[in-house]
Amino acid sequence: MSAQDDIRNLMFRYCELIDAGDADALADLFADAAIVAQDGTPIARGRDEARNMYGGGNRRERTGGGRRTKHITTNVFVEVGEDAGTAVARSYWVLLVSTSPDEPIRPVLAGRYHDRFTRVDGAWRFAERAYLVDLTGSESAAMLGGAASTTRNQS
């Protein structure tokens, strides 16, 4: 498998874990990484802060079974620096929500990820994930704990 495939799989693993509500495994993905907002403001750094971010606050509703979500990542573009053991990726994401089997599935947020990766002991790991929110839907304020939080608590 190529480095690009490994990195894409890591990015897609994130989607599986956040939709499953597995805050511990999500924290492991970011054990040696920073998660930053659109403006570069750090949101979480390292395993413990990532675990607190994914397992607490308004994310608990999204990752604890209160809402059913699907994170879709597309248009993944990966550039690998094999000699340096580093890579960067850009992608689009969409957050779909289902609140009831009787209601339609709705896209409520969309944006981009700007990721950096490092190769550690032959495996690719997140070094940094930047969330960029481009579109918000009618439920986004409820999903994010209020309109003022859209740069702190993205997908």
Side-chain angles (χ1 to χ4, degrees), residues 21-37:
D22 192 339
D24 291 323
L26 283 165
D28 288 342
L29 289 183
F30 295 99
D32 301 309
I35 302 168
V36 301

Side-chain angles (χ1 to χ4, degrees), residues 7-155:
I7 290 166
R8 283 185 187 99
N9 286 345
L10 181 59
M11 295 169 71
F12 298 148
R13 179 75 176 135
Y14 167 86
C15 295
E16 288 182 333
L17 293 173
I18 196 165
D19 291 333
D22 192 339
D24 291 323
L26 283 165
D28 288 342
L29 289 183
F30 295 99
D32 301 309
I35 302 168
V36 301
Q38 294 186 178
D39 63 359
T41 302
I43 298 171
R45 186 176 305 276
R47 178 181 283 112
D48 292 342
E49 289 182 18
R51 172 64 178 89
N52 289 339
M53 183 185 87
Y54 286 114
N58 61 36
R59 286 183 180 270
R60 189 176 309 117
E61 177 187 348
R62 291 169 50 195
T63 59
R67 288 187 190 257
R68 292 172 290 181
T69 63
K70 290 294 178 197
H71 288 72
I72 311 297
T73 301
T74 67
N75 300 31
V76 179
F77 179 77
V78 180
E79 296 176 280
V80 178
E82 283 290 345
D83 293 340
T86 60
V88 295
R90 294 182 312 276
S91 59
Y92 293 169
W93 58 264
V94 176
L95 175 61
L96 302 175
V97 175
S98 172
T99 54
S100 163
D102 300 323
E103 298 291 327
I105 296 169
R106 292 175 300 287
V108 296
L109 291 170
R112 295 166 284 141
Y113 294 130
H114 288 185
D115 295 318
R116 289 188 306 109
F117 301 90
T118 58
R119 191 172 44 224
V120 178
D121 297 326
W124 289 99
R125 305 274 303 168
F126 279 100
E128 182 179 271
R129 167 157 274 187
Y131 292 109
L132 296 97
V133 177
D134 297 324
L135 304 171
T136 59
S138 63
E139 282 192 29
S140 61
M143 294 291 293
L144 299 173
S149 65
T150 57
T151 59
R152 292 192 321 257
N153 300 315
Q154 281 76 34
S155 156

